[in-house]
Structure formats: structure tokens, C-alpha cells
């Protein structure tokens, strides 16, 4: 897949998406330092199927909305950890979506690429002993990445964003959203400045998980 920011993704063959139960819990105005958004809360049938969407602009307009599907990271997003680049990616995404004509930031409780907060802390402990992030997840009995994007796709469809420009470095995220019926017309790189602390983590994501990253 091309690395250029404006590279266009050729549409893959879309598979029939799974039926996902989805309920809009609430919506409200949300002014932020990145612009004015409307915030939505969504729930599904599974207790873990919850998400928040920050929305701005006309998602059904001629220009595909800019979308970030972001997995919760308490240590990064809230506690400003430098072990990962999650908070930097979140801030970059909010800034770019705030500048775009239309966009969505979808925030999902998929801590530790789907293994949960306590298991992520156990993985951190293993990483302190010399393992990388993939080895640590697998040592705990999990896949390197346990996330599923059917629920995310269902939310985007409900919002009217069936054709999107996706802020992501992860080709698997593109593949899953396409297979769930979302047309990703462009993958927009989401790569903030690399810190010395997060460099090894990013190298693992590139070499073992296929993330499209430069300069690591």
C-alpha cells in the first residue's frame, strides 16, 4: 500500500457484514480545543460493545469524512505514558478531524489491543523483563492484536459514514472495515513525532504486525 498521504486505496471486494445490535444511548454538543463536535454514546448486545463518537460536519457529503478508530489507552491517553504513541495519535487525529470539512473520532474500550487494562499491565511487566509487546501478549495467551471492528463499522454506518478516509497505520484495520461494508477510499497516515522511548515499540508494530510506519 502506498505511503503517500494522498494515496488512494483501490476498493476491495466487500463481504457481507455481520448483523450487529446497536443502540444510541445519548448525544450532546461537545466544544473542544480542536473544534466543536457532537458526542454520541453507543451500546451493543455484548457488555464490552460500547463506544463514543465525536462527529463534525456532513458525513454524507461529496468529500469522504476523515475518520479515526481509536482504541482506549489509559496509560497513554490519560496518564501521558511514553511507552506507546497512543496519546500523540489521539491528539493528531482530533487536530486533523477538527480541520477537515467532516469527520469522526470513534473511541473504543479496547485497552491493550483488546486484552483489557489489567492484562496490559501484566504485559508491561513482561516487557520490562525483555519481551516486546507482541511476545508479551502471546505469553499471556492472547493474540498480538485481539481487536474486532464489526461494532465500529456498524456505528459508522449508523452515522452515515459508509465511505471514509481512515487515519491509520494499520492495514488490518482497513481490511476489517472494508470487509464489514465500509469503503475506505484513502488511508491517511497517523504518525506523530517518534520519541526515543516509543521507538522500539513502533519497530515491533512495523516488523511483526505490518503497521505502515516511516523512520522507525
Amino acid at each position: 500500500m502506498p505511503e503517500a498521504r494522498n494515496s488512494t486505496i483501490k476498493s476491495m471486494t466487500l463481504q457481507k457484514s455481520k448483523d450487529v445490535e446497536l443502540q444510541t444511548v445519548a448525544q450532546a454538543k461537545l466544544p473542544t480545543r480542536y473544534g466543536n463536535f457532537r458526542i454520541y454514546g453507543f451500546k451493543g448486545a455484548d457488555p464490552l460493545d460500547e463506544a463514543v463518537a465525536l462527529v463534525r460536519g456532513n458525513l454524507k457529503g461529496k468529500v469522504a469524512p476523515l475518520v479515526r478508530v481509536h482504541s482506549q489507552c489509559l496509560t497513554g491517553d490519560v496518564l501521558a505514558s511514553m511507552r506507546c504513541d497512543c496519546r500523540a495519535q489521539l491528539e493528531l487525529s482530533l487536530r486533523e478531524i477538527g480541520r477537515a470539512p467532516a469527520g469522526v473520532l470513534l473511541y473504543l474500550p479496547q485497552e491493550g489491543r483488546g486484552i483489557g487494562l489489567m492484562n496490559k499491565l501484566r504485559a508491561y511487566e513482561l516487557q520490562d523483563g525483555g519481551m516486546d509487546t507482541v511476545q508479551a501478549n502471546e505469553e499471556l495467551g492472547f493474540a498480538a492484536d485481539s481487536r474486532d471492528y464489526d461494532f465500529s463499522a456498524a456505528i459508522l454506518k449508523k452515522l452515515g459514514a459508509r465511505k471514509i478516509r481512515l487515519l491509520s497505520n494499520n492495514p488490518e484495520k482497513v481490511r476489517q472495515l472494508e470487509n464489514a461494508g465500509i469503503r475506505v477510499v484513502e488511508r491517511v497516515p497517523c504518525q506523530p513525532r517518534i520519541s526515543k522511548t516509543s521507538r522500539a515499540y513502533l519497530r515491533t508494530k512495523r516488523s511483526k504486525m505490518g503497521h505502515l510506519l516511516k523512520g522507525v
Side-chain angles (χ1 to χ4, degrees):
M1 192 175 295
E3 287 291 320
R5 179 180 178 84
N6 293 321
S7 60
T8 300
I9 294 176
K10 293 183 179 179
S11 180
M12 304 174 193
T13 302
L14 300 183
Q15 299 176 5
K16 186 176 179 180
S17 57
K18 300 176 185 176
D19 291 329
V20 177
E21 184 179 323
L22 184 63
Q23 174 190 359
T24 306
V25 176
Q27 58 175 296
K29 296 177 182 177
L30 189 73
T32 77
R33 59 179 170 144
Y34 301 102
N36 295 322
F37 292 84
R38 193 155 192 85
I39 187 168
Y40 293 78
F42 294 101
K43 284 183 67 69
D46 190 292
L48 296 178
D49 283 346
E50 290 187 343
V52 165
L54 271 64
V55 179
R56 66 184 308 275
N58 179 11
L59 303 183
K60 300 178 183 179
K62 291 183 179 179
V63 178
L66 186 62
V67 173
R68 170 68 180 170
V69 178
H70 188 88
S71 297
Q72 172 185 303
C73 176
L74 175 72
T75 48
D77 297 344
V78 178
L79 302 178
S81 166
M82 297 183 71
R83 295 182 74 126
C84 63
D85 62 341
C86 297
R87 178 170 176 161
Q89 283 193 311
L90 178 61
E91 291 177 346
L92 183 154
S93 299
L94 283 168
R95 185 169 60 250
E96 293 300 314
I97 293 169
R99 292 170 178 169
V104 180
L105 184 127
L106 192 55
Y107 194 88
L108 301 145
Q110 296 179 327
E111 191 82 42
R113 296 194 298 277
I115 68 175
L117 179 58
M118 293 301 112
N119 283 320
K120 186 175 87 168
L121 297 183
R122 292 171 68 200
Y124 275 2
E125 188 172 34
L126 292 173
Q127 289 170 48
D128 285 351
M131 292 186 183
D132 64 37
T133 180
V134 169
Q135 291 168 335
N137 276 27
E138 292 175 344
E139 177 69 17
L140 293 172
F142 299 103
D145 192 336
S146 302
R147 292 173 294 181
D148 177 282
Y149 295 100
D150 286 326
F151 187 60
S152 303
I155 293 172
L156 291 173
K157 290 175 188 175
K158 189 172 184 68
L159 291 170
R162 290 178 172 268
K163 182 174 70 173
I164 66 172
R165 298 163 55 232
L166 184 68
L167 271 162
S168 180
N169 307 317
N170 184 358
E172 176 62 14
K173 189 180 294 185
V174 175
R175 186 192 69 79
Q176 284 200 37
L177 288 173
E178 287 265 3
N179 285 344
I182 300 298
R183 185 181 170 201
V184 181
V185 298
E186 183 184 357
R187 182 194 68 83
V188 181
C190 187
Q191 187 173 340
R193 183 178 298 176
I194 299 166
S195 72
K196 292 181 180 179
T197 310
S198 66
R199 188 176 296 276
Y201 165 79
L202 294 174
R203 283 176 176 165
T204 300
K205 288 174 76 172
R206 183 187 65 183
S207 64
K208 293 191 174 183
M209 301 174 67
H211 286 216
L212 304 170
L213 295 162
K214 290 183 177 180
V216 299

